[in-house]
Amino acid sequence: MVVFSLVATHADTDLETVAQLSNGASAVASAATQSGALSGAVVLATCNRYEIYAEAPTPADVDAARSALVAEISARSGLPEDRVSSSFSLNHGPDVTRHLFAVSSGLDSAVVGEREIAGQVRRALISAQQTGTASPSLVRLFQTASKTAKDVGAQTALGSRGLSIVSVALDLAEDVAVDPAWTSKKAVLFGTGAYAGATMALLRERGCANVAVYSSSGRAEEFAAARGAAALTAEQLPGAIAEADVLIGCSGSDSAMEAVELAAIREESPQPLIVIDLALTHDFDPAVGTLDGVELITLESVRLAAPQEQSESLAQASAIVSAATEDFESQRQARQADAAIVALRRHTMAVLDAEIEKVRARHGCTAASEEVEFAMRRMVKQLLHTPTVRARQLAAEGREDEYLAALEALYGISVALPGMISQDGRDAPAEDPADCPVDHSRVS
């Protein structure tokens, strides 16, 4: 199995394109996996990134698997396949591991050190597990990424100030407000997802008690009740907007509020308005920023305003990520070596057991036949010693593919690596001890 990733982020793709690519993101993994092109896939889609971690059966299948994903994304986003293909960078090998660990730890975020991304990585894995697209290898990868993020949070000062996309956006709102205090502000929050929850918590921390919540999905009442806020109906929304000091968009709904619509609602409103649009697909038409008395804060505003963390903390966090990457890759290579060793041992022991059965059939389970068996097993153990040591050496050097190819060429052994499915559709069986009355514990 070969793990690779397709990555489109704020660092090298504009947010509008990321938003378009993300349309239908939740269904891409299931569709591509069911088509047979992939053995597994996990999709990580946030406000400023769209990444797909996938597994192909063999290195030769990666190009076909990538093409299947590009075609699926193109069909769901409406973007041409060549545009989709050029928007993603392809990672494979240790680069996949290193990138995900850095992402989960907040090192690749628009706000470096943000802690929200760690939760998004965890939820991406949970979603893939629920839909059945998370292969064993991808589960290990994402679980280790979450552990690495915890280590970065516990062992460094990175993110200790509690910076996040939401917190930076609220800081910007304070900077442009006539009165920076939140205690007297009326806010309307659009959305009930993870960002809406984080926004609500930070508004409470800053003393904003007058928060109303609207969601076109109908989940506003439950969301608001759990957080001591008021839920708005569609009929109540215009009145709340007219009285608001701050509008915060976190829903990413299909229909953004147009500038002309907002201007009409606010026509009689004397107070200035701050609009914070944190939705990747926009809850507000960008033209609202041109209206008199309206200040617009977007994800791009946040990216440009995000402070840089101290270089010492970044260096410490990067060192943790690098060490975790090396350890994960070493363990992965060791698992491949172990699988190859087990396959060679199973093959060899099958031949040995067949020969021993011939001895038993001819001479019975006598003392003489037992001595023959002991001698043969000692000999096989010695013969397997060098190939076993060599397998682990090559794995440590990242050359395990050479060993697997040699087993295939010399013995016709096709190794089922951990998490692989055999041709009959079942997990590769574990090695069982031979069923024989001889006490094998005597064999040294």
Side-chain angles (χ1 to χ4, degrees):
M1 296 291 185
V2 181
V3 173
F4 66 96
S5 64
L6 299 181
V7 175
T9 78
H10 64 92
D12 47 28
T13 305
D14 66 272
L15 293 178
E16 291 294 335
T17 300
V18 174
Q20 288 179 285
L21 292 170
S22 300
N23 286 335
S26 59
V28 167
S30 295
T33 303
Q34 290 171 4
S35 73
L38 304 175
S39 305
V42 178
V43 173
L44 176 61
T46 75
C47 66
N48 53 26
R49 71 179 63 251
Y50 182 28
E51 303 184 358
I52 303 173
Y53 293 80
E55 190 169 28
T58 70
D61 296 318
V62 171
D63 284 344
R66 181 183 185 278
S67 296
L69 285 170
V70 168
E72 191 66 38
I73 294 168
S74 174
R76 295 179 183 277
S77 67
L79 294 173
E81 287 193 20
D82 58 347
R83 171 102 179 267
V84 172
S85 181
S86 63
S87 298
F88 285 99
S89 59
L90 174 66
N91 289 335
H92 51 79
D95 289 342
V96 176
T97 304
R98 186 177 298 105
H99 178 75
L100 180 60
F101 289 6
V103 167
S104 184
S105 302
L107 298 184
D108 193 60
S109 297
V111 178
V112 176
E114 64 144 327
R115 307 309 299 164
E116 292 162 351
I117 185 64
Q120 292 166 333
V121 169
R122 287 195 300 272
R123 289 190 291 275
L125 174 59
I126 291 171
S127 177
Q129 289 175 311
Q130 290 173 340
T131 57
T133 66
S135 65
S137 296
L138 291 173
V139 170
R140 282 192 294 269
L141 176 65
F142 271 71
Q143 287 178 339
T144 310
S146 292
K147 180 183 181 301
T148 303
K150 289 181 181 178
D151 291 342
V152 168
Q155 298 175 31
T156 76
L158 191 67
S160 60
R161 286 185 288 164
L163 291 176
S164 67
I165 288 174
V166 177
S167 69
V168 173
L170 296 184
D171 288 344
L172 286 173
E174 292 176 9
D175 291 341
V176 300
V178 175
D179 178 6
W182 288 93
T183 52
S184 60
K185 285 183 171 55
K186 294 180 180 179
V188 175
L189 177 64
F190 293 77
T192 56
Y195 268 114
T199 301
M200 178 67 78
L202 287 176
L203 286 172
R204 293 300 193 203
E205 282 183 18
R206 300 187 184 212
C208 184
N210 194 337
V211 182
V213 181
Y214 175 76
S215 173
S216 58
S217 67
R219 292 191 291 265
E221 187 170 350
E222 180 182 356
F223 177 89
R227 294 164 176 81
L232 295 172
T233 65
E235 293 73 24
Q236 295 169 326
L237 182 60
I241 292 176
E243 297 178 0
D245 301 292
V246 182
L247 304 180
I248 306 175
C250 300
S251 71
S253 63
D254 294 334
S255 55
M257 177 171 285
E258 298 293 335
V260 63
E261 180 184 2
L262 181 60
I265 294 174
R266 299 280 301 184
E267 187 175 8
E268 303 297 329
S269 302
Q271 75 276 26
L273 176 68
I274 298 173
V275 177
I276 303 175
D277 194 351
L278 300 180
L280 186 57
T281 53
H282 293 309
D283 280 332
F284 301 94
D285 176 3
V288 302
T290 64
L291 298 177
D292 291 339
V294 176
E295 291 283 353
L296 176 63
I297 296 171
T298 65
L299 286 170
E300 184 64 17
S301 308
V302 171
R303 187 184 70 82
L304 294 173
Q308 294 295 319
E309 291 291 321
Q310 294 181 354
S311 58
E312 182 179 354
S313 296
L314 280 173
Q316 291 173 341
S318 297
I320 292 173
V321 167
S322 295
T325 299
E326 292 178 8
D327 184 58
F328 182 86
E329 288 299 312
S330 295
Q331 292 183 27
R332 180 188 64 78
Q333 291 163 359
R335 282 193 297 272
Q336 290 192 346
D338 289 344
I341 291 167
V342 167
L344 179 59
R345 175 179 169 78
R346 183 183 292 120
H347 172 84
T348 306
M349 296 307 292
V351 175
L352 173 61
D353 288 341
E355 293 303 315
I356 289 175
E357 284 301 320
K358 293 178 183 178
V359 173
R360 290 195 195 119
R362 181 176 300 177
H363 302 288
C365 202
T366 62
S369 65
E370 287 186 14
E371 290 301 321
V372 170
E373 178 176 355
F374 293 143
M376 292 177 72
R377 290 190 184 280
R378 281 196 296 269
M379 179 184 69
V380 168
K381 183 177 180 180
Q382 291 173 357
L383 289 174
L384 288 174
H385 175 71
T386 298
T388 298
V389 171
R390 192 62 180 145
R392 294 199 168 103
Q393 288 176 340
L394 289 172
E397 297 170 6
R399 298 166 57 196
E400 62 272 16
D401 288 347
E402 295 178 23
Y403 193 88
L404 300 181
L407 290 182
E408 176 76 32
L410 295 175
Y411 300 103
I413 298 175
S414 181
V415 178
L417 298 179
M420 285 186 68
I421 303 298
S422 58
Q423 291 182 352
D424 61 5
R426 295 176 297 178
D427 291 329
E431 183 178 19
D432 294 324
D435 182 13
C436 178
V438 176
D439 181 7
H440 292 169
S441 64
R442 290 175 51 195
V443 181
S444 60

